Amino acid sequence: GQQVMQIPQYQHVQEGEDFTTYCNSSTTLSNIQWYKQRPGGHPVFLIQLVKSGEVKKQKRLTFQFGEAKKNSSLHITATQTTDVGTYFCAGDSSNTGKLIFGQGTTLQVKP
Amino acid sequence: GAVVSQHPSRVICKSGTSVKIECRSLDFQATTMFWYRQFPKQSLMLMATSNEGSKATYEQGVEKDKFLINHASLTLSTLTVTSAHPEDSSFYICSARGTLEKLFFGSGTQLSVL
């Protein structure tokens, strides 16, 4: 079945350093979504990418969708302690809303 | 914005009892709802897809007789964990998809089976 791989599993950075998490799907995706989950909380929607090669920015966060629509990345510039949490990518291969989640990348930021 | 209400947020039950979790779309009609399970420090695993008025479609390895899903209306889907056991303890979360194809998540239910 469809698989979505995400790396790294954990990342510890010093505040102010950059951070990137990568996502790779075994199948071509209709769209890919990114979520952030804080400990004890539920996933919070960040963004959805639909077009091949799409790049979207939200303040210090930059999201990319690969040309083949099989991979994606989330890059955070100059991390802050508020960025702490687990970031999940989730792929939708059939545009039905059925999401297959990556394993998540847990970000720790040292002040 | 659209809101999905999930209830209860936390439940503790004895082994062998059944627990019902509700997922409601408050201001939109959800033709499709999804149920996920998340074990500690793990990712969300899709359990089943629920379409209003029809039987749910379960993912491989998910027991449909243990996890009963009902989607009787366009705003409500329920997940019943029957004869719960300690290994069923997990975070269960629903998501709902409206006509605009956007997806919204509930706040989740932490189930602890003693």
Side-chain angles (χ1 to χ4, degrees):
Chain A
Q2 180 193 355
Q3 290 185 326
V4 176
M5 306 299 293
Q6 189 175 352
I7 58 168
Q9 188 175 1
Y10 296 99
Q11 186 82 58
H12 294 251
V13 300
Q14 197 73 38
E15 189 172 21
E17 291 181 340
D18 293 354
F19 158 77
T20 306
T21 172
Y22 301 91
C23 197
N24 191 56
S25 170
S26 60
T27 60
T28 301
L29 299 171
S30 172
N31 65 80
I32 194 161
Q33 301 175 27
W34 285 90
Y35 293 82
K36 178 181 179 181
Q37 185 177 26
R38 292 183 181 274
H42 62 280
V44 175
F45 174 81
L46 294 177
I47 207 159
Q48 176 175 289
L49 303 172
V50 178
K51 299 177 183 177
S52 169
E54 189 170 16
V55 177
K56 285 188 176 180
K57 290 191 175 184
Q58 289 180 350
K59 297 182 180 179
R60 294 178 295 105
L61 277 61
T62 302
F63 304 84
Q64 291 188 314
F65 200 10
E67 293 291 340
K69 300 183 74 172
K70 295 181 73 174
N71 53 58
S72 182
S73 65
L74 158 59
H75 179 82
I76 303 179
T77 305
T79 55
Q80 300 175 356
T81 54
T82 53
D83 295 326
V84 164
T86 300
Y87 293 84
F88 291 99
C89 62
D92 183 348
S93 61
S94 53
N95 199 31
T96 59
K98 179 179 170 180
L99 297 176
I100 304 301
F101 279 77
Q103 296 92 330
T105 297
T106 298
L107 173 65
Q108 293 283 0
V109 179
K110 289 177 275 188
Chain B
V3 175
V4 174
S5 172
Q6 188 171 340
H7 178 81
S9 58
R10 184 176 295 271
V11 59
I12 301 172
C13 69
K14 291 182 179 180
S15 185
T17 60
S18 294
V19 175
K20 180 185 281 189
I21 302 170
E22 292 187 349
C23 183
R24 292 181 184 273
S25 56
L26 295 185
D27 53 1
F28 68 100
Q29 293 184 329
T31 52
T32 306
M33 289 188 175
F34 303 91
W35 288 95
Y36 292 85
R37 179 169 53 182
Q38 185 178 32
F39 291 109
K41 298 189 178 182
Q42 292 189 23
S43 187
L44 282 78
M45 299 299 294
L46 180 65
M47 298 176 67
T49 302
S50 167
N51 290 297
E52 185 266 339
S54 62
K55 290 184 178 180
T57 303
Y58 290 82
E59 295 300 302
Q60 193 173 10
V62 178
E63 300 174 57
K64 59 181 180 181
D65 293 332
K66 181 167 186 62
F67 299 99
L68 301 178
I69 292 173
N70 184 282
H71 193 162
S73 77
L74 284 171
T75 59
L76 174 65
S77 177
T78 60
L79 167 67
T80 301
V81 183
T82 62
S83 187
H85 291 282
E87 57 265 30
D88 298 324
S89 298
S90 185
F91 186 66
Y92 293 86
I93 191 165
C94 67
S95 66
R97 191 178 201 225
T99 52
L100 294 178
E101 299 184 349
K102 281 193 176 278
L103 203 62
F104 301 94
F105 278 84
S107 52
T109 297
Q110 184 63 52
L111 171 63
S112 299
V113 185
L114 305 177

